[in-house]
Amino acid sequence: RSEVLKDEKLSERALTLGNVFRDRLKALNMPWVKNVRGKGLLNAVEIDPNHKFTALKICLELAQKGLLAKPTHGHIIRFAPPLVISETDLIKGCDIIIETFRQHDG
């Protein structure tokens, strides 16, 4: 209900945590990660379409590590954590993503 969104300030939290998510992933500076974009907690990472691993392959690896993401158009990975996620859990999720991306660097 809308009262929950207001009372728990979920919109404000989504904006703040979305910035944390994007800042952490943008800091990777991997050449095959072409763009990190989003609004609030709805985010996408665009990978180079010529990279040897597809978004689907990376999403399957993330799922094996307990993080769900959706591949789109073959080279975009979408992330949509719940609005009630804690900053600690968001950072854990970012760490899983970063670890997985580093395994595909080069």
Side-chain angles (χ1 to χ4, degrees), residues 17 20-22 24-25 28 41 45 58 61-63 65-69 77 79-82 85-101:
L17 294 178
V20 169
F21 180 91
R22 287 185 296 281
R24 287 179 67 87
L25 293 186
L28 282 172
L41 283 170
V45 173
I58 293 170
E61 290 181 22
L62 290 169
K65 296 175 183 179
L67 191 141
L68 298 179
I77 303 170
F79 299 93
I85 192 168
S86 68
E87 185 169 358
T88 301
D89 285 342
L90 181 81
I91 290 171
K92 286 179 189 176
C94 288
D95 290 345
I96 291 169
I97 296 165
I98 291 165
E99 171 193 327
T100 304
F101 281 17

Side-chain angles (χ1 to χ4, degrees), residues 1-105:
R1 296 179 68 142
S2 63
E3 294 88 21
V4 173
L5 292 174
K6 290 177 187 174
D7 292 346
E8 297 187 21
K9 299 181 180 176
L10 295 181
S11 180
E12 293 88 347
R13 287 186 77 253
L15 289 174
T16 300
L17 294 178
N19 287 331
V20 169
F21 180 91
R22 287 185 296 281
D23 290 346
R24 287 179 67 87
L25 293 186
K26 285 178 182 178
L28 282 172
N29 292 323
M30 292 184 173
W32 59 273
V33 175
K34 294 300 181 188
N35 193 16
V36 177
R37 64 181 187 269
K39 185 171 186 179
L41 283 170
L42 298 175
N43 292 285
V45 173
E46 182 179 353
I47 62 175
D48 184 340
N50 298 316
H51 187 59
K52 60 185 172 182
F53 295 105
T54 64
L56 175 61
K57 167 100 170 105
I58 293 170
C59 286
L60 290 172
E61 290 181 22
L62 290 169
Q64 288 177 340
K65 296 175 183 179
L67 191 141
L68 298 179
K70 181 184 184 313
T72 307
H73 304 296
H75 67 283
I76 297 172
I77 303 170
R78 297 200 186 273
F79 299 93
L83 293 176
V84 295
I85 192 168
S86 68
E87 185 169 358
T88 301
D89 285 342
L90 181 81
I91 290 171
K92 286 179 189 176
C94 288
D95 290 345
I96 291 169
I97 296 165
I98 291 165
E99 171 193 327
T100 304
F101 281 17
R102 283 191 176 139
Q103 291 172 347
H104 294 291
D105 200 23

